[in-house]
C-alpha cells in the first residue's frame, strides 16, 4: 500500500476537476503494518512516463508519487532523469508515453493553472543578471499576476531569505549564495502549493547549503509540498520524508529512509571492534547471533554482527570481556542513506545484468511503495 | 516489474500537444516586452554602439554631405550631378524646385531620395540584433528555465519578445528621422522656401512601409533564435536571412519614393508587406516551445 511520509496514511491522488479523467486510485494490502486511516492526497502522480530527447531515452517507465505536505527527494546520479521529471511535473515538457498528474490535473492541458501553483528553483538560478534583485522579483510577480500586492510580497519574500538589503543591486554582482536566496524568494513569491527544487544547493558552501536546507524544511512546516532533486546523499538524509531513487530515467525504489533501509538491511546490526579482530570470530556461533560479516566496507578491523534482539548487546559484550577479548568498539549500526543508495544501485545493476544474461527486458525492483508492483499484486 | 522501453513517438506530435493553449494574456505579453526593454536599457554594451550607428547615418553623414554641397557652390562636379538628375523619373524631377541653383537642387534630391536606405537599414539592423539573441539568449543564460516553468503561454513570450525587438528599431527610426528632418530643413529648407521634409511619400514610408518590413524580418529572426544553439549562430543566421530582406526593403522604399504616383506605390507596397507580415507573425510562435526555452533536444 502507498503510505504518507509522516503519518503512515494511505495515499490517494488529489481530486481531479470535473473535466479531467481521474487517476486510478491504487489500493491493496501489501504492507500489513500500515494503519488504515484516512488517505493522504498525492500532489504529483506520474505513471509509466517515457520521454525521449532525440533518440536518447531520458525517462523510461517512470513512476513517481509525491504526497501532499511532505519533502520528497529525488536522488540519483547525473543523467538519472531528475530534472526531466521536474519538467514533466510543471508541464514544461510533455511525456511521450504515460500519464502525469499534478494537483490531479494534466499539466499539458492545464499548464497555466498547474504552473501558477508551482514554485521552481532550477540547478542554475535562472536569474536576469542585468536586472536588480527587485527587478527579477517584479518580473516574476507580474508573470504570476500578483497585481497590486506585489510590492508587499516582494519585500516579504526577500526579507524571509535575507536579501532585502541587496534588492536594488544588479544580480550580476550577487554571490552564488545570494543568487540562490533570490531564486528561492522568487519561488515562494506567489505562495505556491508545490515547490520544485532542482539541486538548490549546487555551488554553495556548506554553511549556505545548510541555511538553504533549513529554509526548505521551514516551508514544508507551512503545509507546502516540496520535491527536491539532489545527488548529494547528505542533503537528503534527515531532510526527506520520502526518497525516490532514480537511475537511467527509471525509479528504482521509493519510500521513507526507514522503510528503505529496512528493506535493504537486516535489523539489529552491531559493529564490534577488538585489539585482535580475530578474537571476534567465535561470536558467530553464540546464542542470538543471526550472522556475522568480517569485512565491513571502509571499516578495517570492524566486524558486523546481526542479533535477534538489540537487548542482547550487554550480554554479548559481557561474554567477550569474560573471554579476555579487549573490546575497542561496540556500536549499534544504523545504515546511512549512502549505504542505502549504493546498495540499491548495486542491486539494480546486478538484476539488470542477470536479466541481460537471460535475454529478458530490463528489470526494476518491486518495492512495497511501488504503485505498479502494488497494482500487479492486487 | 519489467519495463520494456517504448519507441520514440513520431516527431512533431509532442510539440503540438505542448502548444495547446488558452487565450492570449496581453498583460503578461507586455510584461515580457517591458522586461526585455529594461534589460536592453541596462545594457550599455548594446545601446551605445547602436546609438553611434544611428547617429552616424541619421545625423553625421547627412550633415557633412549637405553642408559641403551647400558650401562649395556650383562647382563642376555639382553641375555634373545636377545634370544627372534628368535621369530621375519625371514625377521625381517635378518635385525638385526649379527656381534654385544646381547645388540646392542636388541637396534637395540627396535629402529626399538618397537617404531612403537609412530608413530601412538602421532600424532593421538594430531590431535584428535584439531579436537574434532574444530566445537563444534565454537558453544560454539559463533563464529559459524560469520562463518555461512560468504560467506565461509561449505565444505571450514570443509576441512579447517580438514587440521588444521591434521597439528599439522603430524608436531609432522616429528619433533618427526627427533629427534628420531638422538637419535637412535647416540646411536645405532655407534655400527652397521653407520646411519641406518629410514629404508625403516619406511619411508613408516611415509609418506604413517600414513597420511590416521590420515585422517580417523579426518573425524570421525569432524563428532562427528559437532553433539555433548559440547567440553567435543566431547573429550569423539572422544576417543571412535579413540581408536579402534589407535589399528588398531598400529597393521597394526607393521605388516608393521615386516611382510615378509615389504615394500610391508606397501604400500598395506597404499593404503587401503587411499581409506577408501577418501570415509570418501568426505562424511564427509555433517555432517556440517550452522545450526550446529549456534547450533540450526537443524536435527530432
Amino acid at each position: 500500500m502507498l503510505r504518507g511520509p509522516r503519518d503512515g496514511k494511505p495515499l490517494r491522488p488529489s481530486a481531479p476537476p470535473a473535466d479531467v479523467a481521474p487517476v486510478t486510485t491504487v489500493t491493496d494490502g501489501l504492507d500489513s503494518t500500515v494503519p488504515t486511516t484516512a488517505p493522504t492526497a498525492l500532489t504529483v502522480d506520474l505513471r509509466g512516463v517515457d520521454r525521449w530527447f532525440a533518440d536518447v531515452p531520458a525517462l523510461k517507465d517512470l513512476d513517481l508519487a509525491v504526497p501532499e505536505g511532505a519533502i520528497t527527494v529525488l536522488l540519483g546520479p547525473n543523467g538519472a532523469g531528475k530534472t526531466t521529471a521536474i519538467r514533466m511535473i510543471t508541464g514544461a515538457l510533455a511525456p511521450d508515453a504515460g500519464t502525469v498528474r499534478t494537483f490531479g490535473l494534466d499539466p499539458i492541458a492545464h499548464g497555466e493553472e498547474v504552473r501558477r501553483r508551482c514554485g521552481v528553483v532550477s540547478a542554475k538560478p535562472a536569474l536576469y543578471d542585468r536586472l536588480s534583485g527587485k527587478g527579477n522579483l517584479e518580473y516574476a510577480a507580474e508573470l504570476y499576476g500578483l497585481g497590486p500586492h506585489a510590492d508587499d510580497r516582494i519585500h516579504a519574500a526577500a526579507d524571509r531569505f535575507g536579501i532585502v538589503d541587496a534588492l536594488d543591486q544588479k544580480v550580476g554582482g550577487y554571490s552564488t549564495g545570494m543568487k540562490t536566496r533570490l531564486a528561492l524568494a522568487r519561488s515562494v513569491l506567489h505562495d505556491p502549493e508545490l515547490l520544485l527544487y532542482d539541486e538548490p544547493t549546487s555551488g554553495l558552501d556548506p554553511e549556505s547549503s545548510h541555511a538553504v536546507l533549513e529554509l526548505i524544511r521551514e516551508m514544508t512546516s507551512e503545509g507546502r509540498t516540496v520535491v527536491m532533486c539532489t545527488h548529494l546523499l547528505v542533503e537528503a538524509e534527515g531532510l526527506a520524508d520520502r526518497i525516490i531513487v532514480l537511475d537511467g530515467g527509471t525509479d528504482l525504489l521509493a519510500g521513507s529512509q526507514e522503510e528503505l533501509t529496512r528493506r535493504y538491511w537486516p535489523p539489529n546490526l552491531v559493529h564490534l571492534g577488538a585489539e585482535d579482530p580475530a578474537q571476534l570470530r567465535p561470536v558467530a556461533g553464540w546464542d542470538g547471533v543471526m550472522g556475522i560479516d568480517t569485512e565491513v566496507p571502509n571499516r578495517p578491523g570492524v566486524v558486523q554482527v546481526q542479533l535477534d534482539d538489540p537487548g542482547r548487546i550487554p550480554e554479548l559484550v559481557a561474554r567477550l570481556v569474560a573471554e579476555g577479548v579487549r573490546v575497542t568498539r561496540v556500536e549499534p549500526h544504523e545504515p546511512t542513506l549512502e549505504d542505502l543508495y549504493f546498495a540499491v544501485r548495486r542491486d539494480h545493476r546486478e538484476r539488470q545484468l542477470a536479466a541481460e544474461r537471460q535475454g529478458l527486458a530490463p528489470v526494476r525492483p518491486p518495492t512495497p511503495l511501488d504503485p505498479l508492483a502494488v497494482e500487479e499484486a492486487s | 516489474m519489467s519495463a520494456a522501453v517504448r519507441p520514440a513517438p513520431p516527431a512533431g506530435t509532442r510539440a503540438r500537444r505542448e502548444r495547446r493553449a488558452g487565450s492570449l494574456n496581453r498583460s503578461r505579453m507586455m510584461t515580457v516586452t517591458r522586461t526585455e526593454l529594461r534589460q536592453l536599457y541596462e545594457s550599455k554594451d548594446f545601446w551605445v554602439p547602436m546609438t553611434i550607428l544611428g547617429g552616424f547615418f541619421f545625423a553625421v553623414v547627412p550633415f557633412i554631405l549637405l553642408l559641403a554641397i551647400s558650401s562649395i557652390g556650383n562647382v563642376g562636379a555639382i553641375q555634373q550631378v545636377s545634370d544627372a538628375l534628368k535621369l530621375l523619373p519625371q514625377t521625381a524631377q517635378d518635385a525638385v524646385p526649379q527656381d534654385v541653383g544646381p547645388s540646392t537642387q542636388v541637396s534637395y534630391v540627396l535629402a529626399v531620395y538618397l537617404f531612403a536606405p537609412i530608413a530601412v537599414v538602421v532600424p532593421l539592423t538594430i531590431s535584428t540584433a535584439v531579436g537574434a539573441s532574444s530566445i537563444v539568449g534565454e537558453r544560454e543564460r539559463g533563464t529559459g528555465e524560469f520562463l518555461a516553468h512560468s504560467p506565461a503561454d509561449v505565444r505571450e513570450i514570443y509576441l512579447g519578445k517580438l514587440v521588444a525587438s521591434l521597439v528599439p528599431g522603430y524608436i531609432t527610426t522616429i528619433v533618427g528621422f526627427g533629427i534628420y528632418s531638422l538637419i535637412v530643413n535647416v540646411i536645405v529648407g532655407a534655400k527652397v522656401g521653407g520646411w519641406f521634409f518629410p514629404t508625403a511619400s516619406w511619411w508613408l514610408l516611415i509609418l506604413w512601409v517600414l513597420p511590416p518590413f521590420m515585422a517580417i524580418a523579426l518573425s524570421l529572426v525569432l524563428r532562427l533564435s528559437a532553433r539555433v544553439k548559440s547567440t553567435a549562430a543566431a547573429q550569423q543566421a539572422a544576417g543571412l536571412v535579413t540581408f536579402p530582406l534589407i535589399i528588398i526593403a531598400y529597393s521597394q522604399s526607393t521605388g516608393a519614393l521615386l516611382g510615378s504616383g509615389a504615394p500610391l506605390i508606397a501604400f500598395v507596397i506597404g499593404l503587401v508587406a503587411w499581409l506577408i507580415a501577418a501570415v509570418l507573425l501568426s505562424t511564427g510562435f509555433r517555432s517556440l516551445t517550452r522545450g526550446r526555452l529549456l534547450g533540450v533536444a526537443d524536435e527530432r
Side-chain angles (χ1 to χ4, degrees), chain B residues 4 9 29-30 41-42 44 66 80 109 127-128 136 143-144 146 154-155 183 199 237 239 246 253 278 280:
Chain B
M29 188 195 96
M30 290 314 295
Y41 177 74
E42 298 291 342
K44 281 183 187 167
L66 294 176
Q80 283 175 356
V109 168
S127 284
T128 300
V136 71
T143 47
F146 165 68
V154 286
R155 290 173 306 166
I183 290 169
T199 61
I246 287 173
S253 306
L280 290 176

Side-chain angles (χ1 to χ4, degrees), chain B residues 5 25 53 60 68 79 94-95 104 129 136 218 228 251 255-256 265 271:
Chain B
V5 177
N25 183 324
L53 177 76
V60 176
Q79 190 61 52
D94 292 346
T104 304
V136 71
L218 281 174
V228 297
S251 57
I265 289 175
L271 187 65

Side-chain angles (χ1 to χ4, degrees), chain B residues 85-221:
Chain B
L85 296 183
K86 294 184 177 63
L87 297 173
L88 288 173
Q90 192 56 48
T91 46
Q93 288 187 45
D94 292 346
V96 178
Q98 302 300 316
D99 53 349
V100 294
S103 67
T104 304
Q105 283 184 330
V106 169
S107 297
Y108 182 93
V109 168
L110 290 179
V112 176
Y113 301 121
L114 184 72
F115 293 112
I118 296 171
V120 177
V121 176
V122 176
L124 271 178
T125 304
I126 291 173
S127 284
T128 300
V130 177
S133 62
S134 182
I135 295 170
V136 71
E138 296 274 3
R139 211 158 49 221
E140 282 184 330
R141 292 188 300 267
T143 47
E145 187 95 26
F146 165 68
L147 287 177
H149 291 297
S150 79
D153 189 276
V154 286
R155 290 173 306 166
E156 293 155 11
I157 297 168
Y158 176 85
L159 290 174
K161 286 181 175 293
L162 186 104
V163 174
S165 307
L166 205 65
V167 166
Y170 204 64
I171 286 179
T172 306
T173 305
I174 301 297
V175 174
F177 271 97
I179 295 168
Y180 179 74
S181 299
L182 197 66
I183 290 169
V184 298
N185 283 318
V186 167
I187 297 175
V188 186
K191 297 172 183 172
V192 296
W195 289 57
F196 67 98
F197 192 90
T199 61
S201 295
W202 268 104
W203 280 118
L204 268 173
L205 187 72
I206 295 167
L207 300 176
W208 179 248
V209 179
L210 183 61
F213 271 102
M214 289 173 68
I216 291 169
L218 281 174
S219 70
L220 296 174
V221 167

Side-chain angles (χ1 to χ4, degrees), chain A residues 48 51 54 87 96 142, chain B residues 6 14 34 138 145 149 300:
Chain A
R51 171 72 196 206
R87 291 168 172 177
D96 291 327
E142 289 177 32
Chain B
R6 286 172 274 255
R14 182 194 299 143
R34 270 199 308 276
E138 296 274 3
E145 187 95 26
H149 291 297
R300 288 174 303 113

